[in-house]
Amino acid sequence: MSKPMKERKPRPVNLDLQTIKMPITAIASILHRVSGVITFVSIGILLWLLSKSLSSPIGFAEAADIVDGFFVTFILWGILTALAYHIVGGIRHLLMDLGHFEELDTGAKSAKVSFILTGILSLLAGVLVW
Ligand code: HEM
């Protein structure tokens, strides 16, 4: 005689994205990856701009013209902010590799501190570019 089939337990399903709350540590981790990719892509753009500015006096004037507009200045500020977050978040990661901030509460606190530090560095970057 075959055994009766086990009834499947109803599993919790939550695909309502508006009710799923990501912990601050997950947000910090995703932003670290995003800021790394932004930094990587910006290296190409910044090297192109540097080579243009060094090519000739006309090239320098053209590069200065490009950087002069509000939109490009805003992009430069965004790149510096991403770099700042990547460095701050990277140092946090390296400290975690050394065994610090590994518990849930200290991990959340260090994520908050890295956001605050990035905010301050981002303000300074704004002062630098404008
Ligand atoms: C040109 C500069 C840099 C670029 C383009 C860059 C890019 C990246 C990228 C794309 C990742 C992969 C992220 C992932 O897959 O989660 C990464 C990870 C990482 N970066 Fe950078 N990075 C740069 C500079 C730095 C600096 C200055 C630090 C040190 C403070 C740093 C620390 C780290 C660490 C610790 C990770 C690994 C994070 C993990 O374990 O998830 N990076 N970086």
Side-chain angles (χ1 to χ4, degrees):
M1 220 170 84
S2 63
K3 279 189 199 163
M5 281 240 297
K6 255 192 188 169
E7 231 177 76
R8 276 175 167 235
K9 271 190 198 161
R11 308 292 302 162
V13 175
N14 185 359
L15 292 179
D16 183 357
L17 294 180
Q18 286 185 323
T19 65
I20 296 176
K21 199 166 171 278
M22 272 211 277
I24 189 167
T25 44
I27 297 170
S29 174
I30 291 169
L31 285 180
H32 190 250
R33 178 168 290 190
V34 171
S35 63
V37 174
I38 292 175
T39 306
F40 177 71
V41 174
S42 356
I43 288 175
I45 301 169
L46 295 177
L47 280 181
W48 169 77
L49 208 57
L50 179 67
S51 105
K52 192 173 183 56
S53 75
L54 294 176
S55 63
S56 66
I58 295 175
F60 180 84
E62 280 173 359
D65 239 18
I66 292 171
V67 178
D68 209 28
F70 174 81
F71 183 66
V72 178
T73 310
F74 185 72
I75 300 278
L76 284 180
W77 171 72
I79 289 173
L80 287 176
T81 299
L83 177 65
Y85 181 72
H86 194 78
I87 291 174
V88 173
I91 291 170
R92 175 175 169 261
H93 267 286
L94 296 175
L95 288 173
M96 283 161 79
D97 288 344
L98 292 174
H100 305 283
F101 314 129
E102 287 185 317
E103 292 77 31
L104 210 58
D105 56 333
T106 52
K109 263 185 209 148
S110 67
K112 219 177 271 175
V113 168
S114 64
F115 287 152
I116 294 169
L117 283 179
T118 304
I120 295 169
L121 290 173
S122 174
L123 274 178
L124 293 177
V127 172
L128 188 76
V129 295
W130 273 295

